[in-house]
């Protein structure tokens, strides 16, 4: 069942209506185009996504490292400030700083000097520096309402006794006795207990507050920029800072964390995997859009190309159907010099050749019918003719007219060969014997004034030749070439691979150029005798062996004529 759908799709593509070359071309073009395109798109997406994810991960790590640096810098300033104050109070020279309101001159001077020190330690980021005694009296700015310190959650949660530093974290500075422009600003607090059993400040607390607006703004900018959720936790589990965005932690989240060296706080930036892979998702979406557009574009190009290509093929198919219906005047327009253009040219040549062959077949059939009609019309009784000639021959013998008897004998032999229409192809030896009888008649007529030379091997005489093809040619020599029968006739027959080549030469008067050009041109029946015999002999060879065979005539006026005949070898025993 898994591969059944693919098999059905394959059968649909390569069978039925899908067998058209247009569909196959379109399908092949799309496959060839889309495979590299989609492969390149997938590779580009993979590399781009990999690079973007790596860069974004490094960017997040660097941003968290910067937050770590900025936060540590603020905490270090506050801790150094507390250590300076702590060292000052541990000095026995400052024992006049008590845990109540100063009343003596020395106590007032010491208080003023200490508060001057605190004022000198302030920076632009300092929000407040206080030393709060167990009695409730404090040193520092006179705008502190100690009762409101319990509104700070981390102040309220501080242990009853502790050593070292206690980081209060981020909170609103709402413990002023009177409202001013700085009331309610976010601050970062540090509380340090003083342990000095021999000093008046034992049990007091150093409270240092630093403006946290810039630091919190940097936290929010980081969250907006990276879409991450930032949280800071103290070692005891207290949440120092938490992002305002609603968030449920998941195992798939991308986490960047740092431990602050001053406070040992854990700074954690947690980014949902969906947000982390959003840039690569945008690249994927863009890649898909580009791939779809490219596919549509490739489909359009493939459709246009296949339509133009197959239109020419359909036109050729329609033309072939017209030719099959007998419309042989159909021709294809030649469009371009490509393979289809060559095919159109070949089609036109083929149709022209078919037309020519049909005309030749029609001509052949017409000639055969004319020959049959003529043979039927001029049919005579051979026995009556031969008996009459034999009677004349015996009469001439009784009368002592030997020349007449010999002429009648040879004429009888020539007529016997000519009137035997039972065979269209006879052996070359038989045709040559009839020529010898014909030449005997001419010798009796003119006397021994001409010379006849025959060059033909005995083996060649077994091959076939159309009946009555040489006698009209010899007749033309005596009636048109020789004057009073005087001249030389050469007949040469030789084999050329699978063909026979006959050469007939005479040194007679020759044929004029004008008559030579009209020798093989079909037309009305001529009044003369020369051209008709040559044309009939040529037609016989073409009818029996094909249009590529036949006679070739070369002649020079006053010098003689040469006739070449070429035809394939065919032995009598194979008839």
């Amino acid at each position: 069942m898994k591969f059944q759908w693919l098999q059905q799709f394959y059968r649909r593509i390569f069978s039925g209506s899908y067998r058209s070359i247009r569909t196959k071309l379109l399908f092949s073009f799309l496959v060839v185009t889309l495979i590299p395109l989609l492969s390149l798109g997938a590779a580009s997406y993979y590399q781009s996504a990999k690079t973007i994810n790596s860069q974004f991960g490094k960017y997040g790590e660097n941003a968290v490292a910067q937050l770590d640096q900025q936060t540590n810098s603020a905490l270090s300033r506050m801790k150094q400030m507390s250590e300076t104050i702590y060292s000052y109070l541990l000095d026995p020279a400052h024992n006049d700083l008590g845990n109540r309101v100063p009343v003596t001159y020395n106590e007032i001077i010491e208080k003023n000097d200490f508060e001057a020190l605190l004022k000198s330690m302030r920076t632009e980021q300092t929000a407040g520096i206080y030393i709060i005694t167990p009695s409730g009296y404090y040193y520092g700015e006179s705008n502190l309402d100690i009762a409101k310190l319990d509104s700070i959650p981390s102040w309220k949660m501080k242990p009853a006794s502790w050593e070292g530093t206690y980081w209060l974290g981020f909170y609103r500075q709402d413990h002023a006795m009177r409202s001013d422009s700085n009331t309610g600003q976010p601050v970062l607090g540090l509380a340090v207990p003083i342990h000095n059993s021999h000093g008046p400040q034992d049990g007091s607390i150093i409270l240092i507050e630093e403006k946290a607006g810039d630091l919190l703004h940097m936290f929010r900018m980081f969250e907006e920029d990276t879409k991450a959720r930032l949280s800071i936790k103290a070692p005891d589990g207290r949440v120092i800072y938490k992002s305002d965005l609603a968030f449920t932690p998941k195992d798939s989240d991308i986490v960047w964390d740092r431990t602050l060296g001053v406070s040992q706080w854990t700074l954690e930036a947690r980014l949902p995997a969906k947000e982390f892979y959003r840039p690569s998702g945008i690249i994927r979406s863009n890649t898909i859009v580009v791939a779809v557009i490219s596919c549509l574009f490739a489909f359009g190009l493939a459709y246009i190309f296949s339509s133009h290509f197959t239109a020419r093929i359909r036109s050729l198919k329609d033309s072939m159907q017209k030719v099959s219906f007998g419309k042989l005047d159909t021709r294809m327009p030649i469009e371009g010099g490509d393979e289809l253009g060559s095919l159109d040219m070949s089609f036109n040549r083929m149709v022209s050749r078919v037309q020519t062959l049909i005309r030749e077949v029609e001509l052949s059939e017409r000639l055969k019918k004319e020959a049959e009609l003529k043979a039927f019309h001029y049919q005579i009784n051979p026995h009556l003719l031969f008996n009459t000639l034999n009677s004349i021959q015996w009469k001439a013998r009784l009368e002592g007219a030997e020349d007449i008897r010999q002429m009648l004998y040879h004429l009888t032999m020539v007529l016997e060969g000519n009137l035997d229409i039972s065979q269209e192809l006879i052996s070359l030896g038989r045709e040559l014997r009839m020529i010898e009888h014909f030449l005997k008649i001419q010798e009796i007529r003119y006397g021994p004034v001409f010379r006849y030379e025959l060059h033909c091997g005995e083996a060649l005489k077994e091959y076939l030749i159309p009946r009555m093809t040489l006698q009209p040619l010899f007749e033309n020599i005596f009636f048109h070439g020789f004057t009073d029968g005087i001249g030389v006739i050469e007949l040469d027959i030789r084999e050329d691979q699978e063909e026979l080549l006959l050469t007939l030469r005479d040194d007679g008067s020759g044929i004029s150029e004008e008559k030579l050009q009209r020798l093989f041109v079909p037309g009305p029946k001529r009044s003369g005798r020369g051209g008709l015999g040559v044309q009939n002999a040529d037609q016989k060879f073409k009818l029996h062996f094909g249009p590529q065979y036949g006679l070739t005539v070369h002649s020079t006026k006053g010098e003689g004529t040469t006739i070449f005949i070429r035809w394939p070898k065919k032995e009598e025993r194979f008839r």
Side-chain angles (χ1 to χ4, degrees):
M1 296 298 294
K2 182 187 297 183
F3 301 101
Q4 186 176 3
W5 182 84
L6 290 176
Q7 293 174 354
Q8 293 178 353
F9 178 74
Y10 178 84
R11 285 196 297 269
R12 290 185 64 193
I13 287 295
F14 294 99
S15 63
S17 61
Y18 292 92
R19 278 197 301 231
S20 68
I21 191 172
R22 178 179 180 181
T23 303
K24 293 178 180 178
L25 277 176
L26 183 61
F27 182 76
S28 300
F29 189 86
L30 287 177
V31 169
V32 171
T33 303
L34 295 183
I35 288 179
L37 180 63
L38 296 179
S39 300
L40 180 61
S44 299
Y45 162 70
Y46 176 76
Q47 293 296 334
S48 300
K50 182 178 179 181
T51 303
I52 288 294
N53 292 338
S54 176
Q55 294 295 329
F56 189 61
K58 291 180 180 179
Y59 172 76
E61 291 179 358
N62 294 334
V64 171
Q66 186 176 4
L67 294 179
D68 180 10
Q69 181 182 1
Q70 294 293 332
T71 307
N72 263 324
S73 177
L75 296 178
S76 296
R77 286 196 305 269
M78 297 173 65
K79 185 175 181 180
Q80 184 178 7
M81 193 179 298
S82 67
E83 291 173 350
T84 302
I85 297 172
Y86 200 108
S87 298
Y88 184 89
L89 294 176
L90 290 179
D91 189 353
H94 305 297
N95 286 335
D96 292 332
L97 290 173
N99 54 8
R100 55 183 176 79
V101 178
V103 292
T104 66
Y105 176 77
N106 289 333
E107 289 177 348
I108 293 174
I109 295 298
E110 189 66 32
K111 172 182 176 298
N112 292 336
D113 291 341
F114 181 57
E115 290 184 344
L117 173 65
L118 296 180
K119 187 176 294 186
S120 66
M121 295 176 64
R122 293 178 61 89
T123 64
E124 292 183 358
Q125 295 299 321
T126 303
I129 304 176
Y130 310 97
I131 290 83
I132 304 171
T133 65
S135 63
Y137 179 74
Y138 67 92
Y139 295 91
E141 296 182 6
S142 58
N143 193 27
L144 175 63
D145 188 349
I146 296 177
K148 293 182 179 179
L149 288 177
D150 288 336
S151 63
I152 303 174
S154 54
W155 178 273
K156 189 176 182 179
M157 293 170 56
K158 71 181 185 298
S161 61
W162 79 95
E163 295 182 0
T165 59
Y166 182 79
W167 296 96
L168 302 175
F170 298 96
Y171 54 89
R172 291 283 178 178
Q173 194 182 45
D174 295 331
H175 42 267
M177 288 187 296
R178 59 183 183 276
S179 299
D180 56 18
S181 59
N182 293 328
T183 301
Q185 67 175 340
V187 295
L188 178 61
L190 170 63
V192 180
I194 300 175
H195 299 284
N196 185 8
S197 58
H198 302 290
Q201 297 297 327
D202 185 36
S204 299
I205 299 175
I206 302 173
L207 176 62
I208 300 176
E209 296 176 332
E210 183 161 333
K211 299 175 182 177
D214 293 342
L215 198 58
L216 294 175
H217 177 72
M218 186 171 62
F219 289 167
R220 287 190 292 271
M221 290 296 295
F222 169 79
E223 291 173 340
E224 292 178 4
D225 190 24
T226 62
K227 307 302 180 184
R229 278 64 170 176
L230 188 65
S231 64
I232 302 176
K233 291 184 180 180
D236 58 1
R238 288 183 298 117
V239 177
I240 305 300
Y241 174 84
K242 185 178 180 180
S243 175
D244 295 334
L245 301 174
F247 178 65
T248 301
K250 297 180 180 179
D251 295 337
S252 60
D253 295 341
I254 308 300
V255 179
W256 301 300
D257 54 5
R258 289 278 184 141
T259 300
L260 304 182
V262 177
S263 61
Q264 296 302 307
W265 288 347
T266 300
L267 188 151
E268 181 184 86
R270 184 176 289 270
L271 178 65
K274 181 180 179 181
E275 295 294 337
F276 180 81
Y277 293 109
R278 184 184 297 275
S280 58
I282 294 174
I283 295 176
R284 181 178 63 251
S285 301
N286 293 337
T287 302
I288 293 174
V289 170
V290 172
V292 170
I293 294 175
S294 300
C295 291
L296 294 176
F297 183 71
F299 180 82
L301 286 180
Y303 183 82
I304 294 173
F305 172 78
S306 60
S307 298
H308 177 71
F309 182 79
T310 54
R312 297 172 64 184
I313 296 180
R314 285 198 302 271
S315 178
L316 180 60
K317 183 192 72 173
D318 295 340
S319 299
M320 294 177 70
Q321 287 181 343
K322 291 179 181 179
V323 171
S324 67
F325 294 150
K327 298 180 180 180
L328 298 179
D329 56 343
T330 304
R331 295 294 185 274
M332 282 292 298
I334 308 301
E335 299 180 5
D338 54 4
E339 287 80 0
L340 287 179
S342 300
L343 188 61
D344 294 337
M345 295 175 61
S346 300
F347 172 79
N348 292 340
R349 286 196 297 267
M350 180 193 70
V351 176
S352 299
R353 183 61 180 163
V354 169
Q355 281 186 305
T356 302
L357 290 176
I358 290 178
R359 285 196 294 266
E360 291 176 354
V361 170
E362 291 176 349
L363 177 61
S364 173
E365 292 297 323
R366 187 170 65 251
L367 290 176
K368 285 183 178 179
K369 283 193 172 293
E370 290 178 357
E372 290 174 358
L373 290 174
K374 287 180 181 179
F376 180 79
H377 183 72
Y378 293 108
Q379 186 177 21
I380 61 174
N381 192 331
H383 296 286
L384 176 62
L385 179 60
F386 292 149
N387 289 336
T388 302
L389 289 175
N390 287 331
S391 298
I392 297 173
Q393 180 183 357
W394 280 105
K395 182 67 175 176
R397 184 176 183 180
L398 293 175
E399 296 293 333
E402 186 63 22
D403 291 342
I404 296 175
R405 189 190 70 79
Q406 289 290 334
M407 184 177 292
L408 288 174
Y409 168 73
H410 292 297
L411 176 60
T412 301
M413 299 304 294
V414 171
L415 290 176
E416 184 179 355
N418 291 341
L419 294 176
D420 184 10
I421 60 174
S422 61
Q423 294 179 327
E424 285 297 327
L425 295 175
I426 62 175
S427 66
L428 183 58
R430 182 177 173 182
E431 185 75 4
L432 292 177
R433 285 194 299 272
M434 284 190 291
I435 294 300
E436 291 176 356
H437 288 297
F438 174 78
L439 292 177
K440 288 294 184 181
I441 296 173
Q442 303 307 320
E443 184 178 356
I444 296 172
R445 177 183 177 186
Y446 294 107
V449 295
F450 64 89
R451 187 173 79 251
Y452 170 62
E453 298 179 1
L454 172 64
H455 305 284
C456 177
E458 289 297 326
L460 302 181
K461 294 181 180 180
E462 297 298 325
Y463 294 111
L464 299 180
I465 188 172
R467 184 177 60 84
M468 279 292 294
T469 51
L470 298 183
Q471 188 265 335
L473 303 181
F474 277 83
E475 185 178 351
N476 284 339
I477 294 175
F478 283 95
F479 281 97
H480 300 285
F482 290 171
T483 302
D484 296 329
I486 301 174
V488 178
I489 303 174
E490 296 182 11
L491 179 60
D492 180 77
I493 303 173
R494 59 186 178 86
E495 58 182 338
D496 183 9
Q497 295 181 357
E498 298 300 320
E499 296 179 339
L500 295 176
L501 179 60
L502 182 147
T503 305
L504 178 61
R505 298 186 184 89
D506 69 78
D507 59 354
S509 59
I511 305 174
S512 65
E513 185 68 27
E514 179 182 358
K515 187 175 181 181
L516 192 63
Q517 293 178 357
R518 294 185 288 107
L519 197 59
F520 296 99
V521 177
K525 185 176 179 181
R526 297 177 177 83
S527 58
R529 301 175 61 185
L532 186 59
V534 174
Q535 189 179 86
N536 287 342
D538 181 66
Q539 288 295 327
K540 285 184 179 181
F541 279 97
K542 285 181 166 53
L543 290 174
H544 286 289
F545 303 113
Q548 67 272 30
Y549 299 105
L551 277 65
T552 303
V553 180
H554 298 283
S555 182
T556 304
K557 188 66 176 176
E559 296 183 5
T561 302
T562 302
I563 298 176
F564 300 97
I565 306 177
R566 182 182 295 273
W567 74 101
K569 292 192 295 186
K570 186 176 182 181
E571 294 190 49
E572 186 175 9
R573 59 176 174 270
F574 293 141
R575 287 189 298 122

